[in-house]
Amino acid sequence: MPNVFGSPHKGSEPRHEQVVFCQDEASGLRAIIAIYSTALGPSLGGTRFYPYGSEEEALADVLNLSRGMAYKNALAGLDHGGGKAVILGDPSKDKTEALLRAYGRFVGSLGGRYYTACDVGTFSEDMDLVARECEFVTGRTVANGGAGDSSILTAYGVFQGMRAAAETVWGAPTLRGRRVGVEGVGKVGHRLVEHLREDGADVVVCDVSEAAVERVRALHPEIEVVADGDAMIRADLDVYAPCALGGSLNDDTVPALGARVVCGAANNQLAHPGVEKNLADRDVLYAPDYVVNSGGVIQVADEITGFDFERAKSRASGIYDTTRKIFELAADEGVPPAVAADRLAERRMSEIGRLRGIFV
């Protein structure tokens, strides 16, 4: 079992503020809520509903994801710390109103230290049910005063990060004429394809769901389809955009990678520490995932004080500038972009978190 209070990327030093195991036998709820940091404000992060093979696997995932949210929220300029929750189970079989409302009771019991939202396996309609039991919920449906589907600005933000990467590598902030492989065309991936085609990119896709692929092909019959993620990694691409589950970049896939740029929506794309150096050694520019995929959290954070789409989109446009800043810092300091991004995030958490010590 992993060290519950240790950062998954930083060794065994104590970092997570709080980890809560939640169980309601009557509804079948089994969940874990992890709060990595509240240095910048209440923690914010989605709820993942997934059929984990074990509680240990779920715990490892929520620890990694909550840490990622702290860094993501910091670089997005939000006054929120990092948190995440996972519900163990198959959402297609186990998700019920009673289970979601029981989960809402546990979120409410934290007294505002954690705000939840959608993630893999959960949707805005689910957040409406959670919100019937507690107020610390965002990402609700428009009909219930929420921002709706956060994948809209997630995809937009990834595209902005990709533009910054294109400018760094090829001298212009456009993907026109570039060959971009999108692995996973679900909630975020299919929207990213729209931005890429509008910009004039040639797009290659794959997904474990044939229905998801066919939905994209119905709109864009000109796109190319490859069999699976392994074929995508090895394809002749300019940009590889992982938009499915994390861990696709590892010791086996990085040497086979055909792309010059990696920029996608998936969380935790690097399988373990050190992969970022392997990418840099191969002259592959990696746009840190938690930077470029922060459009969704910008959207749901905006909802907490009253949602305005244009304001949220304007803030998500800043992902382009943040990504450029990270690439410039990485070049100046001679470190991979992932290291530069961590340093910027840690600096903001330290500087702003320090203000809590000023008596008012």
Side-chain angles (χ1 to χ4, degrees):
M1 180 179 292
N3 182 345
V4 175
F5 297 103
S7 162
H9 295 166
K10 300 287 184 178
S12 59
E13 61 181 287
R15 293 304 299 266
H16 282 80
E17 289 183 10
Q18 188 174 11
V19 180
V20 180
F21 290 77
C22 314
Q23 184 166 314
D24 177 59
E25 188 173 352
S27 66
L29 173 71
R30 294 172 62 215
I32 309 172
I33 302 171
I35 297 174
Y36 181 80
S37 170
T38 56
L40 295 176
S43 64
L44 169 64
T47 297
R48 178 166 295 191
F49 203 136
Y50 190 75
Y52 294 99
S54 66
E55 189 173 89
E56 288 79 10
E57 182 184 336
L59 177 59
D61 200 30
V62 77
L63 293 179
N64 282 331
L65 292 168
S66 58
R67 178 187 183 275
M69 288 306 305
Y71 283 63
K72 179 186 296 189
N73 293 341
L75 284 184
L78 301 176
D79 291 331
H80 285 282
K84 202 78 173 187
V86 296
I87 298 176
L88 290 76
D90 184 341
S92 67
K93 300 176 182 177
D94 302 325
K95 188 191 296 181
T96 64
E97 177 184 352
L99 183 147
L100 290 170
R101 293 182 69 162
Y103 169 66
R105 301 285 288 183
F106 281 104
V107 173
S109 74
L110 295 173
R113 285 177 51 77
Y114 169 61
Y115 276 78
T116 195
C118 306
D119 196 77
V120 174
T122 59
F123 300 87
S124 294
E125 293 78 8
D126 300 326
M127 294 304 107
D128 287 346
L129 290 173
V130 176
R132 292 172 71 172
E133 297 296 334
C134 76
E135 61 183 295
F136 310 113
V137 182
T138 183
R140 293 166 295 171
T141 62
V142 174
N144 282 281
D149 186 358
S150 63
S151 67
I152 295 171
L153 289 189
T154 302
Y156 177 73
V158 171
F159 179 63
Q160 297 307 315
M162 199 178 292
R163 290 178 60 239
E167 183 176 30
T168 300
V169 174
W170 298 297
T174 178
L175 282 306
R176 179 170 297 279
R178 301 295 171 188
R179 186 170 161 86
V180 182
V182 181
E183 180 183 0
V185 284
K187 287 198 290 186
V188 176
H190 86 274
R191 296 185 186 278
L192 178 59
V193 170
E194 295 293 329
H195 291 299
L196 290 167
R197 289 299 300 135
E198 288 175 7
D199 195 37
D202 297 321
V203 177
V204 184
V205 304
C206 71
D207 198 292
V208 294
S209 167
E210 187 174 333
V213 171
E214 289 307 314
R215 176 178 62 172
V216 174
R217 291 192 72 182
L219 295 171
H220 303 285
E222 73 281 1
I223 66 172
E224 183 181 340
V225 179
V226 296
D228 52 30
D230 184 64
M232 182 71 78
I233 286 282
R234 299 172 186 279
D236 181 17
L237 302 172
D238 294 303
V239 181
Y240 167 55
C243 296
L245 294 177
S248 63
L249 296 166
N250 56 47
D251 295 336
D252 295 325
T253 58
V254 168
L257 186 64
R260 176 70 177 79
V261 169
V262 174
C263 179
N267 288 309
N268 300 323
Q269 294 168 22
L270 309 183
H272 60 78
V275 174
E276 71 281 356
K277 184 178 185 304
N278 295 340
L279 289 166
D281 288 346
R282 293 199 62 232
D283 200 27
V284 175
L285 184 66
Y286 170 64
D289 49 39
Y290 70 79
V291 177
V292 301
N293 69 13
S294 63
V297 76
I298 290 172
Q299 179 170 328
V300 297
D302 192 85
E303 179 187 321
I304 293 173
T305 54
F307 183 62
D308 182 287
F309 181 79
E310 291 305 318
R311 179 179 61 202
K313 184 176 181 181
S314 176
R315 290 173 175 170
S317 297
I319 292 171
Y320 169 81
D321 292 324
T322 301
T323 308
R324 280 191 61 193
K325 182 177 181 180
I326 287 165
F327 291 150
E328 291 167 1
L329 179 64
D332 290 344
E333 298 189 356
V335 297
V339 174
D342 281 358
R343 288 178 179 177
L344 280 178
E346 288 163 0
R347 185 182 308 163
R348 182 164 186 261
M349 284 188 275
S350 175
E351 291 175 352
I352 304 303
R354 179 194 61 80
L355 300 178
R356 300 287 182 87
I358 299 176
F359 181 77
V360 293

